[in-house]
């Protein structure tokens, strides 16, 4: 790192560090090679104490990332920030409910390898982002559950009515939707002359780490199961043979991820750099409408 006034602190023994700027240090002056080295070894960096705004957030992320995504085909319609459709509100935005642990966009073939979060305004209280190590989760699964997920792939089933799918796919043209689905190995069913569509995507709940040496529990099971438990059936997860994931397995997943949870208690101006090939993330509930967190989905300019 260049000789700027800052402090580096580990978050856990397994992953994560905080780079704390002290004084009026410019985050753009951080040594890029050293940040990359730290990210490769830690999978998560929280940059705190630097003078930041949305424009500086964009400039900083573009030093390390490329292929910024617009969230076409994502689970929700996100608001773009300052007219840039690669700087997006987080899922739910002002909705204060908790979001269970998940990997970003693992219900589709094309996921971002990296994520960046920016805290424009923290919640008045609570509303922390939750982080969990998918390698640790896999290692703590029972042997029976490991064997189940290795032997059966997941099927994500998503149905959108006519007023919703154009927002999700950012087009009114079903031919464009079909291309997005084909590019992501999704089965597309057009129902009732385009009044609704259903997609199906089959994948594993377990992936190999970027270096290929570790198995990672990384998927979107928990938020989809939670939605169904709340009576919403527009997004479902089943095994490939359409059988449900057993309740005792869901309970096991909740227990392990709950025990391994790490919290990011946001401060204004924080920037969070996340490895989406290893870490699950989520959100704790909050009770006000102040929380304003932005996200960029992308790939690194360096090799992971």
């Amino acid at each position: 790192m260049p000789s700027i006034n800052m402090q580096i602190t580990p978050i856990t023994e397994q992953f994560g560090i905080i780079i704390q700027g002290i004084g009026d240090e410019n985050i753009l002056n951080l040594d890029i090679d050293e940040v990359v080295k730290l990210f490769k070894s830690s999978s998560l960096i929280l940059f705190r104490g630097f003078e930041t705004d949305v424009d500086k957030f964009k400039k900083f992320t573009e030093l390390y990332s490329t292929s910024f995504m617009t969230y076409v085909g994502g689970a929700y319609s996100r608001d773009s920030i300052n007219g840039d459709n690669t700087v997006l509100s987080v899922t739910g935005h002002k909705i204060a409910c908790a979001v269970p642990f998940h990997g970003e966009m693992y219900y589709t073939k094309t996921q971002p390898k990296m994520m960046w979060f920016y805290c424009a305004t923290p919640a008045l209280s609570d509303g922390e982002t939750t982080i969990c190590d998918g390698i640790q989760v896999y290692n703590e699964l029972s042997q029976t559950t490991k064997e189940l997920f290795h032997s059966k792939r997941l099927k994500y089933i998503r149905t959108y009515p006519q007023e919703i799918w154009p927002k999700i796919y950012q087009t009114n043209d079903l031919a464009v939707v079909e291309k997005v689905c084909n590019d992501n190995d999704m089965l597309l069913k057009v129902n009732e002359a385009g009044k609704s569509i259903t997609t199906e995507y089959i994948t594993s709940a377990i992936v190999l780490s970027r270096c290929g040496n570790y198995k990672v529990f990384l998927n979107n099971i928990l938020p989809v199961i939670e939605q169904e438990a709340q009576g919403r059936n527009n997004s479902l997860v089943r095994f490939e043979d359409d059988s449900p994931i057993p309740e005792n397995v869901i309970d096991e997943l909740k227990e392990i991820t709950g025990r391994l949870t790490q919290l990011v208690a946001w401060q204004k101006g924080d920037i969070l750099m996340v490895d989406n090939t290893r870490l699950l993330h989520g959100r704790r509930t909050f009770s006000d409408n102040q929380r304003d967190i932005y996200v960029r989905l992308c790939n690194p300019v360096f090799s992971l």
Side-chain angles (χ1 to χ4, degrees), residues 29 39 125 160 163 190 267 304:
N29 289 338
F39 181 71
S125 63
Y160 298 113
E163 65 272 18
V190 180
Q267 296 181 16
L304 283 174

Side-chain angles (χ1 to χ4, degrees), residues 85-103:
N85 61 2
T86 72
V87 182
L88 304 164
S89 65
V90 297
T91 297
H93 198 28
K94 301 295 185 180
I95 300 173
C97 62
V99 177
F101 278 117
H102 60 284

Side-chain angles (χ1 to χ4, degrees), residues 8-267:
I8 300 176
T9 307
I11 296 174
T12 76
E13 292 183 2
Q14 289 77 23
F15 73 92
I17 61 170
I18 300 172
I19 298 179
Q20 174 88 43
I22 301 172
D24 298 322
E25 300 293 353
N26 188 341
I27 196 170
L28 299 177
N29 289 338
L30 289 173
D31 184 284
I32 294 174
D33 291 338
E34 188 63 21
V35 169
V36 169
K37 180 181 177 181
L38 289 168
F39 181 71
K40 285 184 175 183
S41 64
S42 68
S43 297
L44 179 142
I45 302 178
L46 175 62
F47 301 90
R48 173 166 286 171
F50 297 93
E51 290 294 328
T52 58
D53 56 25
V54 175
D55 287 339
K56 190 167 284 188
F57 170 62
K58 289 173 61 175
K59 290 177 183 177
F60 184 62
T61 57
E62 286 160 7
L63 294 174
Y64 302 91
S65 311
T66 186
S67 304
F68 290 92
M69 298 173 64
T70 60
Y71 205 55
V72 170
Y76 299 89
S77 176
R78 297 183 189 258
D79 295 333
S80 61
I81 308 302
N82 295 346
D84 187 336
N85 61 2
T86 72
V87 182
L88 304 164
S89 65
V90 297
T91 297
H93 198 28
K94 301 295 185 180
I95 300 173
C97 62
V99 177
F101 278 117
H102 60 284
E104 190 64 33
M105 298 186 75
Y106 274 82
Y107 47 78
T108 178
K109 180 181 177 180
T110 305
Q111 312 105 23
K113 291 183 172 64
M114 288 178 64
M115 302 178 65
W116 295 89
F117 293 94
Y118 173 69
C119 179
T121 307
L124 295 177
S125 63
D126 306 317
E128 301 95 338
T129 287
T130 54
I131 303 291
C132 191
D133 184 359
I135 295 175
Q136 289 181 274
V137 175
Y138 176 81
N139 289 340
E140 297 213 15
L141 291 176
S142 66
Q143 188 59 37
T144 301
T145 297
K146 287 178 181 177
E147 291 173 0
L148 178 65
F149 283 124
H150 280 300
S151 63
K152 287 189 171 187
R153 295 189 298 174
L154 302 176
K155 180 191 289 187
Y156 294 101
I157 307 161
R158 301 162 68 201
T159 299
Y160 298 113
Q162 187 175 27
E163 65 272 18
I164 298 297
W165 67 255
K167 297 177 182 177
I168 296 296
Y169 288 93
Q170 300 175 32
T171 180
N172 290 307
D173 189 342
L174 279 170
V176 175
V177 176
E178 183 177 16
K179 183 179 187 308
V180 172
C181 291
N182 287 340
D183 290 345
N184 281 281
D185 297 338
M186 283 183 181
L187 174 67
L188 172 66
K189 299 177 182 178
V190 180
N191 309 312
E192 301 177 32
K195 290 184 179 179
S196 68
I197 65 171
T198 298
T199 63
E200 294 182 0
Y201 177 65
I202 296 172
T203 187
S204 176
I206 297 164
V207 301
L208 288 177
S209 67
R210 59 195 177 192
C211 63
N213 294 331
Y214 301 98
K215 293 175 181 176
V216 187
F217 182 82
L218 195 57
N219 50 69
N220 288 75
I221 290 175
L222 291 178
V224 177
I225 289 290
E226 178 68 18
Q227 290 175 35
E228 187 174 3
Q230 294 172 356
R232 291 179 284 170
N233 60 5
N234 63 306
S235 183
L236 304 173
V237 62
R238 299 287 187 267
F239 286 118
E240 185 175 2
D241 61 5
D242 292 318
S243 61
I245 301 171
E247 287 188 17
N248 67 300
V249 172
I250 298 301
D251 291 341
E252 180 183 354
L253 298 178
K254 289 179 179 179
E255 189 280 325
I256 293 172
T257 55
R259 180 162 37 83
L260 297 177
T261 297
Q262 297 294 323
L263 299 179
V264 176
W266 290 106
Q267 296 181 16

Side-chain angles (χ1 to χ4, degrees), residues 263-282:
L263 299 179
V264 176
W266 290 106
Q267 296 181 16
K268 184 176 178 60
D270 282 351
I271 292 175
L272 188 66
M273 183 182 191
V274 181
D275 181 351
N276 192 47
T277 72
R278 172 180 177 178
L279 301 179
L280 300 125
H281 67 281

